[in-house]
Every structure is written in structure tokens, then in C-alpha cells.
Amino acid sequence: MSARPAKKPRDLVDGVLLLDKPVGLSSNDALIKAKRVLNAKKAGHTGTLDPFATGLLPLCFGEATKFSQDLLESDKRYEASVHLGIMTTTGDTEGEVIEQREVDVTPEQIEAALARFRGPILQVPPMYSALKRDGKALYEYAREGITLERDARPVTIHSLTLIEYSAPFLKIAVTCSKGTYVRVLGEDIGAALGCGAHLNALRRTQVGALTMAGMVTLDELLAHPDPLSLLQPPDALLSSFPALALTAELAKRFLQGQRLALGKEDIAVPAELGRVRVYHDSRLLGTGQLGEYAILAPERLISTVA
């Protein structure tokens, strides 16, 4: 019996892929497909999109995974289509219809309903979610027909605007804080209008400072003669932080984990304290915390800097 051929070793790939996730595919499945195409050794995504949702799914590879937490914590922007008058078990198109009501709403009523959800609000997480209870995802309980009490959680709807209303479909744009379920927002808007609702489409258009510019589909990735060229550098995740450039000697000490007193050095220091991205000779070294008296403390460091 012939031996099975050895698997090709994975490559050390560093960068960020702005994937346009297709409908019907989980975020993890999309990550696996992209990782296979790039033959990457280490990869992760920055917050899931439901299978029925599409749009911006930043995938991090290699050193970029060190900074993915920032996108998990960042604000998101979506465009959603709310189907008024029909409620489903999941709040989206993947669930079964549980109730239908007549839709008779005016533009003024819609605007009044949207106004109720702008700013800080409390939102009850859906049963069909990956949140854990006693080590078990809520959606697993839901599939068994079990409904558990869930505490409302604070989230912030930074903006909520009406794009178009063509009964019974309400198209909205939402910018929201982490932890916001747009499915639940759609259901709550429907409840406020008295007719109920579910989401029949959801597209993410922005994550933190990342937008759809440079976004590629899986088909484009598969067909590209040089898919690695589609990757953005790891610091694409850090564009909202001020940049700070070190000399060769200071860069060496920074990479050794030493705190640096930059007030004693001829270094241009950002005016604002807090998190900064640190470079030497245009190469990203990592991130640091800039404190009082221009003290720079290393935070997350790039390990592949020569």
C-alpha cells in the first residue's frame, strides 16, 4: 500500500484580507477557504457574520492576528433590509415563520420608531446566538426548543437612518457598538411599529476604520494569479492610532520589551497619549502605550521584524 503524500507545509503569511463574505457561508468556513488558498499557517477573523449576512469580513493572517482584538472591540456599520409584517424564529431568513401581521405604517411612524433606538439602548441577545450559558451556546438550547432568560445588555446605536421604504421592506443604515445584534434591532423596530419584522438581508460595510475599499470575493481570491498580493499589511488594522517612528537603537530596545523615555530623545511624539503604532524605517514594530512624560511602553510586538 503506497504511502500517502506528505502535506505541503503551511507558509508564514502576514497580512489582512478584506473579504466580501457571500450569503450562505459561515464566517469560519470563509476563513478556512481563504486560509487554504493562501496556504497560511495562522489565521483568524475579526467578529462573525451570520451565514445569511454578506459584506466586510476582515481576515487576519500571521502577525496581523495580534491586532485582531481591536476590530472585535470596534464599531461596525451595516445596511439592512427589514421585512415588516413577518416574524421568524431566528429574526432572519433562516428561521421559520411564526406570525404574520398586516403592514400599514406611514413615513412619520417609521421615523418616530427609528428615533427610539438611536443612542444608548438596552438589547436582549437572541436565543439564536453563539453566546454561552453553562458552556453551551444559546443556539443549541434554541434548537432543542428551550428558551432561556437573557439579561438585556447596553449597546449604542451611533446612527440609524432610513435609506428607502417600499412596503413591506424597510432599508436602513446602522452604525453601532460591538455586541449589537442588528437582527434584534430589526425585530424591535417591527415591534415598535406594531407589525413585527425580521431581517431578510444584512450587509456589513465597515469595521472600525476598514471600509469596503479593497474588498475581494472568494471567487476573486481563487481566480487571482497571485492571491498574496491581495493582502493588506498588518498595520491596516491600526490606521486609527497615531504613528511614532524610532531610531535603530530605540527600535532594538523597544523590541526587547524595554520602556523608552522619549522625552530625552530627538523623536517626534504624538500630542495625544494612549495607544500608538510604532515604526522604524517604515517597518511596523508593533503597538505601544504612550504615557506621561513621553514614556513609551511596548504592547504587542511584531516577531518577524529583521
Side-chain angles (χ1 to χ4, degrees):
M1 189 174 180
S2 60
R4 181 178 298 177
K7 287 185 178 179
K8 181 183 177 183
R10 295 284 187 177
D11 297 328
L12 293 175
V13 174
D14 299 318
V16 182
L17 181 71
L18 302 184
L19 183 71
D20 185 354
K21 190 193 83 66
V23 69
L25 198 65
S26 73
S27 295
N28 195 54
D29 286 342
L31 174 66
I32 291 171
K33 288 178 181 291
K35 184 179 179 182
R36 186 179 299 125
V37 173
L38 298 171
N39 197 44
K41 187 173 184 180
K42 184 179 182 182
H45 60 68
T46 56
T48 59
L49 278 174
D50 290 334
F52 90 102
T54 67
L56 183 58
L57 180 66
L59 303 180
C60 299
F61 299 91
E63 292 296 301
T65 60
K66 293 180 178 179
F67 311 111
S68 60
Q69 184 64 32
D70 299 293
L71 289 193
L72 291 172
E73 302 290 327
S74 65
D75 293 338
K76 316 291 192 302
R77 183 172 175 81
Y78 301 87
E79 289 186 359
S81 177
V82 183
H83 190 162
L84 299 178
I86 297 179
M87 288 155 279
T88 71
T89 52
T90 58
D92 58 33
T93 58
E94 298 188 310
E96 297 178 0
V97 174
I98 53 177
E99 189 176 351
Q100 296 190 49
R101 297 178 187 171
E102 183 180 349
V103 178
D104 183 17
V105 298
T106 65
E108 292 75 20
Q109 289 173 320
I110 291 171
E111 179 51 42
L114 297 182
R116 291 174 54 179
F117 298 99
R118 297 187 183 112
I121 64 171
L122 291 176
Q123 189 179 75
V124 178
M127 277 301 301
Y128 280 89
S129 68
L131 292 177
K132 297 289 182 68
R133 179 75 62 85
D134 297 327
K136 186 175 178 179
L138 290 183
Y139 67 78
E140 295 182 78
Y141 290 103
R143 288 171 180 170
E144 296 170 2
I146 301 172
T147 300
L148 302 177
E149 290 292 324
R150 288 100 64 208
D151 293 330
R153 305 190 305 177
V155 297
T156 302
I157 308 299
H158 299 293
S159 68
L160 176 59
T161 57
L162 175 65
I163 298 175
E164 180 185 8
Y165 176 53
S166 178
F169 298 104
L170 192 69
K171 189 173 183 180
I172 57 175
V174 185
T175 303
C176 53
S177 65
K178 70 166 186 173
T180 303
Y181 288 92
V182 184
R183 276 184 292 140
V184 174
L185 179 63
E187 290 181 303
D188 290 345
I189 291 170
L193 290 168
C195 57
H198 74 281
L199 285 196
N200 77 311
L202 179 65
R203 183 164 180 78
R204 188 157 67 189
T205 59
Q206 187 167 346
V207 179
L210 298 177
T211 67
M212 294 191 295
M215 194 167 63
V216 298
T217 66
L218 276 175
D219 287 342
E220 289 170 337
L221 180 68
L222 286 164
H224 201 281
D226 182 17
L228 289 176
S229 68
L230 299 174
L231 292 178
Q232 300 193 21
D235 59 355
L237 302 175
L238 306 171
S239 61
S240 62
F241 301 115
L244 191 156
L246 299 179
T247 63
E249 177 58 31
L250 291 174
K252 180 180 178 181
R253 290 168 54 192
F254 179 79
L255 290 172
Q256 290 172 344
Q258 296 182 30
R259 292 163 60 90
L260 305 177
L262 299 183
K264 302 175 181 179
E265 307 288 345
D266 186 21
I267 297 292
V269 177
E272 294 184 8
L273 303 183
R275 197 159 184 223
V276 293
R277 48 196 165 110
V278 183
Y279 296 84
H280 167 61
D281 196 23
S282 300
R283 292 178 301 171
L284 179 69
L285 306 180
T287 58
Q289 287 289 338
L290 184 65
E292 291 184 337
Y293 311 108
I295 301 297
L296 178 64
E299 190 183 42
R300 299 173 196 160
L301 303 178
I302 294 287
S303 62
T304 55
V305 177

